[in-house]
Short mmCIF file of all heavy atoms in Angstrom, two decimals:
data_model
loop_
_atom_site.label_atom_id
_atom_site.label_comp_id
_atom_site.label_asym_id
_atom_site.label_seq_id
_atom_site.Cartn_x
_atom_site.Cartn_y
_atom_site.Cartn_z
N ALA E 43 12.11 -9.32 5.28
CA ALA E 43 12.19 -10.59 6.01
C ALA E 43 12.87 -11.65 5.16
O ALA E 43 13.70 -12.43 5.65
CB ALA E 43 10.79 -11.04 6.41
N TYR E 53 26.61 -16.80 3.15
CA TYR E 53 27.93 -16.75 3.80
C TYR E 53 29.02 -17.35 2.93
O TYR E 53 30.14 -16.86 2.86
CB TYR E 53 27.90 -17.49 5.14
CG TYR E 53 27.15 -16.77 6.23
CD1 TYR E 53 26.65 -17.46 7.33
CD2 TYR E 53 26.95 -15.39 6.19
CE1 TYR E 53 25.95 -16.81 8.34
CE2 TYR E 53 26.25 -14.74 7.18
CZ TYR E 53 25.76 -15.45 8.26
OH TYR E 53 25.07 -14.81 9.24
N VAL E 119 11.13 0.03 -17.24
CA VAL E 119 11.57 1.38 -17.60
C VAL E 119 12.05 2.12 -16.35
O VAL E 119 13.13 2.73 -16.33
CB VAL E 119 10.42 2.16 -18.30
CG1 VAL E 119 10.78 3.63 -18.47
CG2 VAL E 119 10.11 1.54 -19.65
N ALA E 172 -10.43 10.84 4.71
CA ALA E 172 -9.60 9.63 4.53
C ALA E 172 -8.19 9.86 5.08
O ALA E 172 -7.65 9.02 5.80
CB ALA E 172 -9.55 9.27 3.05
N GLY E 183 0.13 3.28 19.25
CA GLY E 183 1.41 2.75 19.74
C GLY E 183 2.14 3.74 20.63
O GLY E 183 1.61 4.81 20.96
N LEU E 206 1.88 -2.85 9.15
CA LEU E 206 1.44 -2.42 7.82
C LEU E 206 0.65 -3.51 7.08
O LEU E 206 -0.39 -3.23 6.47
CB LEU E 206 2.69 -2.05 7.01
CG LEU E 206 2.54 -1.06 5.90
CD1 LEU E 206 1.99 0.25 6.44
CD2 LEU E 206 3.88 -0.82 5.23
N VAL E 211 -3.77 -5.31 3.93
CA VAL E 211 -4.52 -6.45 3.41
C VAL E 211 -5.98 -6.35 3.84
O VAL E 211 -6.90 -6.63 3.06
CB VAL E 211 -3.88 -7.78 3.88
CG1 VAL E 211 -4.74 -8.97 3.51
CG2 VAL E 211 -2.50 -7.94 3.25
N ALA E 232 -12.99 -11.24 -13.96
CA ALA E 232 -13.12 -10.66 -15.29
C ALA E 232 -14.30 -11.27 -16.03
O ALA E 232 -14.52 -12.48 -15.96
CB ALA E 232 -11.84 -10.92 -16.07
N SER E 247 0.57 5.83 -25.35
CA SER E 247 -0.12 6.74 -24.42
C SER E 247 0.40 6.61 -22.99
O SER E 247 0.23 7.52 -22.19
CB SER E 247 -1.63 6.48 -24.45
OG SER E 247 -1.91 5.22 -23.89
N GLY E 250 4.71 8.44 -21.63
CA GLY E 250 4.94 9.67 -20.85
C GLY E 250 4.75 9.41 -19.37
O GLY E 250 5.54 9.88 -18.53
N ALA E 301 2.31 4.75 -14.37
CA ALA E 301 3.09 5.73 -13.59
C ALA E 301 3.51 5.19 -12.22
O ALA E 301 4.71 5.24 -11.87
CB ALA E 301 2.31 7.03 -13.45
N PHE E 347 32.95 3.34 -3.41
CA PHE E 347 33.17 3.52 -4.85
C PHE E 347 34.66 3.51 -5.19
O PHE E 347 35.05 3.24 -6.31
CB PHE E 347 32.55 4.84 -5.32
CG PHE E 347 31.09 4.74 -5.68
CD1 PHE E 347 30.11 5.06 -4.78
CD2 PHE E 347 30.71 4.27 -6.93
CE1 PHE E 347 28.77 4.96 -5.11
CE2 PHE E 347 29.37 4.16 -7.28
CZ PHE E 347 28.40 4.51 -6.36
N LEU E 366 16.02 -6.64 -16.78
CA LEU E 366 15.73 -7.28 -18.06
C LEU E 366 15.23 -8.71 -17.82
O LEU E 366 14.26 -9.16 -18.44
CB LEU E 366 16.99 -7.28 -18.93
CG LEU E 366 16.81 -7.80 -20.35
CD1 LEU E 366 15.87 -6.90 -21.14
CD2 LEU E 366 18.14 -7.90 -21.08
N PRO E 374 6.14 -13.31 -20.60
CA PRO E 374 5.54 -14.59 -21.04
C PRO E 374 4.60 -15.18 -19.99
O PRO E 374 3.70 -15.94 -20.33
CB PRO E 374 6.76 -15.51 -21.23
CG PRO E 374 7.92 -14.61 -21.31
CD PRO E 374 7.60 -13.42 -20.50
N ALA E 413 -6.98 -11.02 13.60
CA ALA E 413 -8.16 -10.28 14.07
C ALA E 413 -8.07 -8.81 13.65
O ALA E 413 -9.06 -8.22 13.20
CB ALA E 413 -8.26 -10.39 15.59
N ILE E 440 0.90 5.28 6.42
CA ILE E 440 2.33 5.02 6.22
C ILE E 440 3.17 6.23 6.64
O ILE E 440 4.22 6.10 7.27
CB ILE E 440 2.62 4.65 4.74
CG1 ILE E 440 1.97 3.32 4.39
CG2 ILE E 440 4.12 4.60 4.46
CD1 ILE E 440 1.89 3.04 2.90
N ALA E 445 5.85 11.92 9.62
CA ALA E 445 5.40 13.31 9.71
C ALA E 445 5.44 13.79 11.15
O ALA E 445 5.91 14.89 11.44
CB ALA E 445 3.98 13.43 9.15
N GLY E 502 -29.54 32.62 -21.85
CA GLY E 502 -30.92 32.90 -21.52
C GLY E 502 -31.30 34.24 -22.07
O GLY E 502 -32.42 34.51 -22.36
#
Side-chain angles (χ1 to χ4, degrees):
Chain E
Y53 287 158
V119 171
L206 207 58
V211 172
S247 68
F347 274 96
L366 186 64
I440 293 165

